[in-house]
Amino acid sequence: MAPIAINWSRFKRQARAKASIFRDLLKCNQGANNESLSSIGLLDQLSTASRQERAARLQTYIRNLIAQTLGLKAAKQIDPDQRLIELGLDSLMAIELKNQLQATLNCSLRSSFLFDHPTLAALTEHLADQLFGSHNASSHSASSHSASSHSASSHSANEDISSPNTSISQHTFSRTLVPIQTAGTQPPLFFVPGILGNVFYLEPLARHLGADQHFYGLRSLGLEEAISPYTQIEEIAAHHIQSIQSLQPCGPYWIGGHSFGGKVAFEIARRLYTEGHTIGGVMLLDSPAGGTAKTSEVLRWDKAQYLASLAREWGSSIGKDLGISVQHLRSLKPTEQAAFFFEKLRSHQQLYTKPALMRMIAVYEANTQATLNEIHPASYPTLSKTQYAIPTILFRAKDLFPMPEFLPTPEVTQADPTWGWQQYSNQLQVQVAIGNHFTMMQEPQIQSLAHQLAKFLKETSSAPNRAHRKYSETVRG
């Protein structure tokens, strides 16, 4: 054995402490290049401090924690008004930061907190409001206020609800709109994520569309709330429409969705269209209309199969095999299956809390059920008879991903390159995107996809006939 010099900041940025031994070493080194991160008695110190001193201490603590998470040499290099994502804070770091803030400050943060409160100044103000009341929050620069107030003005109601859904009107409304990019002059693009319902992975798409494009994610209901998620695409779409119209009451609307989100996006557009609103365009990313020949097999899935399928999709989205098989899950007691899943995720640095993971599993199962409900014409009659004059573009992944329960096979794709959408739009385009179902949304492939999307947005926003046209009752043969 021999001692070696380690640049801990560089190591943490590059390796992200993938092995448990490295995580322990980094914990020993934390704070070596930053001011003290001690949280012992922090809340007591803050509660007895003056308003100005409290704000300064809280911001210093949060800034140091962010610097530690990013592996920065000096916390002072973090500008209070700079977007934290621009500093390199990714989804895994966001989870780590969220967990630490919640544990040390005894606060509650949404998984989308980096979009809700995108800067150090905005995050400090939000936590000061939550911990000590809005009258204790300090003032901050106009630029940071603009970054956070834009999203706040988009929706006046923000209470969570805890009883199961029966209809939207019977409950306090819980917003699903997440502001990802709120600067620029272009009309907003509202985007529905895939079956896991989390919008964080949409950030690269928003970024590559350019700073001039407003971009809002529509997360799944139930990720943040103790509430049963919807199991009907119509219900999901209706809730998202309420969120959308809290920001933009009237069209034209541009709506997109990836995978399962594409189905929801088209239903949102269809509903708005039949209500008389103008639809600028609908963007479907590797999303088939309806199901496949094997989708009905999911009706017979047990809990182990749901978890194994979730593990396959989760692992594919991060480029790893989580090592979770349906055979092993079935060898465990039902109460042990989720715990095994949780530990496997943590071994791959997916540091979700157990309550958050249980909500994600519930959302996955509910969205899968919504897919099953959609394939039966009796439960989705509107799309079985009508073709709509809605500008629609389908981006199919070049490399077809082997997921026969939810995605068409190469043979089906060759027979119908539109994946069934020609039945529902008489203004349909189909393009091929680089990558597979998951990698098309990741670097570097996302850059090409964003370029294709930007071109469609430009074409539809400058279309000569912007007047609303009622949908056609004639299905093109």
Side-chain angles (χ1 to χ4, degrees):
M1 297 178 63
I4 59 173
I6 297 178
N7 182 328
W8 290 104
S9 297
R10 182 178 179 184
F11 175 82
K12 187 171 184 179
R13 287 196 301 272
Q14 292 181 348
R16 294 300 310 144
K18 292 183 179 179
S20 58
I21 185 173
F22 294 144
R23 289 200 303 272
D24 294 338
L25 288 171
L26 285 168
K27 286 179 182 177
C28 293
N29 185 71
Q30 73 175 29
N33 296 312
N34 291 303
E35 298 174 46
S36 173
L37 295 178
S38 174
S39 61
I40 300 175
L42 177 63
L43 288 177
D44 290 338
Q45 296 173 28
L46 293 174
S47 63
T48 57
S50 66
R51 185 180 68 179
Q52 291 78 9
E53 186 180 3
R54 177 186 301 131
R57 286 188 181 184
L58 182 60
Q59 185 172 94
T60 296
Y61 176 73
I62 297 171
R63 174 187 260 146
N64 289 336
L65 205 56
I66 293 170
Q68 174 195 312
T69 304
L70 287 166
L72 298 178
K73 291 182 178 180
K76 291 182 179 180
Q77 67 189 89
I78 300 176
D79 187 322
D81 298 321
Q82 183 177 8
R83 284 171 57 88
L84 298 177
I85 286 178
E86 293 174 357
L87 292 171
L89 205 68
D90 60 23
S91 59
L92 295 182
M93 296 179 195
I95 296 168
E96 180 183 343
L97 177 62
K98 175 176 177 283
N99 291 344
Q100 292 192 66
L101 285 171
Q102 290 184 152
T104 58
L105 296 178
N106 193 27
C107 61
S108 176
L109 287 169
R110 290 156 39 99
S111 61
S112 58
F113 77 99
L114 279 185
F115 302 125
D116 300 328
H117 320 290
T119 66
L120 170 61
L123 182 57
T124 301
E125 182 191 31
H126 170 71
L127 289 174
D129 287 351
Q130 185 179 139
L131 294 170
F132 305 106
S134 59
H135 63 281
N136 287 298
S138 68
S139 61
H140 55 289
S141 71
S143 60
S144 64
H145 181 268
S146 175
S148 60
S149 65
H150 184 99
S151 61
S153 65
S154 302
H155 22 64
S156 57
N158 186 26
E159 296 88 354
D160 287 344
I161 47 184
S162 57
S163 54
N165 289 310
T166 53
S167 69
I168 294 173
S169 61
Q170 294 179 2
H171 302 283
T172 303
F173 183 70
S174 184
R175 65 185 171 110
T176 52
L177 191 72
V178 179
I180 296 178
Q181 193 159 277
T182 57
T185 62
Q186 296 303 309
L189 171 57
F190 301 98
F191 222 91
V192 187
I195 203 162
L196 295 180
N198 195 307
V199 302
F200 205 105
Y201 80 105
L202 299 176
E203 190 277 331
L205 175 60
R207 176 164 29 91
H208 287 299
L209 284 173
D212 203 34
Q213 177 63 60
H214 284 80
F215 192 105
Y216 292 84
L218 292 162
R219 67 170 179 86
S220 284
L221 190 70
L223 283 179
E224 307 290 347
E225 309 88 352
I227 181 174
S228 299
Y230 292 119
T231 58
Q232 299 282 346
I233 283 180
E234 300 96 317
E235 294 175 329
I236 298 170
H239 194 101
H240 284 333
I241 287 173
Q242 192 170 349
S243 288
I244 289 170
Q245 292 189 321
S246 69
L247 174 75
Q248 182 183 335
C250 301
Y253 294 103
W254 280 265
I255 306 158
H258 172 231
S259 188
F260 168 79
K263 304 173 188 292
V264 179
F266 195 87
E267 174 64 7
I268 291 172
R270 185 198 69 79
R271 282 175 170 253
L272 290 169
Y273 186 84
T274 56
E275 291 172 4
H277 295 281
T278 301
I279 302 300
V282 177
M283 289 133 279
L284 310 171
L285 308 188
D286 220 42
S287 176
T292 71
K294 289 184 173 292
T295 302
S296 59
E297 295 180 6
V298 180
L299 291 168
R300 298 187 292 274
W301 279 8
D302 58 15
K303 187 76 171 183
Q305 284 173 298
Y306 267 104
L307 285 177
S309 176
L310 173 57
R312 179 182 59 175
E313 293 202 35
W314 199 317
S316 297
S317 69
I318 62 174
K320 297 179 180 178
D321 182 355
L322 298 184
I324 300 175
S325 68
V326 67
Q327 292 80 9
H328 182 72
L329 287 170
R330 282 176 175 161
S331 72
L332 302 174
K333 297 177 181 178
T335 55
E336 297 172 337
Q337 292 176 354
F340 175 74
F341 194 101
F342 176 77
E343 292 304 324
K344 279 291 186 180
L345 286 178
R346 293 190 70 82
S347 71
H348 288 86
Q349 300 306 298
Q350 303 292 295
L351 305 178
Y352 292 89
T353 63
K354 287 184 179 179
L357 177 60
M358 296 308 295
R359 289 195 297 270
M360 293 182 75
I361 292 173
V363 164
Y364 176 77
E365 292 180 355
N367 286 343
T368 301
Q369 186 61 50
T371 300
L372 296 175
N373 291 336
E374 182 212 15
I375 68 175
H376 302 291
S379 67
Y380 208 43
T382 51
L383 284 186
S384 62
K385 302 176 183 178
T386 305
Q387 192 179 52
Y388 298 85
I390 296 176
T392 305
I393 187 165
L394 168 66
F395 292 95
R396 263 189 10 248
K398 181 179 179 181
D399 303 322
L400 297 181
F401 193 83
M403 198 158 52
E405 299 91 351
F406 303 110
L407 293 176
T409 62
E411 295 75 21
V412 171
T413 301
Q414 185 175 9
D416 180 11
T418 73
W419 279 5
W421 289 111
Q422 84 286 351
Q423 302 175 68
Y424 310 128
S425 172
N426 61 15
Q427 296 184 28
L428 178 67
Q429 302 178 46
V430 179
Q431 292 187 22
V432 175
I434 300 172
N436 65 32
H437 188 72
F438 299 100
T439 61
M440 67 187 293
M441 304 297 294
Q442 301 167 3
E443 300 287 1
Q445 294 88 340
I446 191 64
Q447 299 176 39
S448 174
L449 178 59
H451 177 76
Q452 292 172 282
L453 271 173
K455 184 177 179 181
F456 177 76
L457 288 168
K458 183 177 180 180
E459 289 173 353
T460 52
S461 63
S462 60
N465 182 11
R466 298 297 302 134
H468 172 73
R469 290 176 289 177
K470 291 296 288 181
Y471 57 89
S472 169
E473 295 291 345
T474 304
V475 177
R476 184 175 61 184

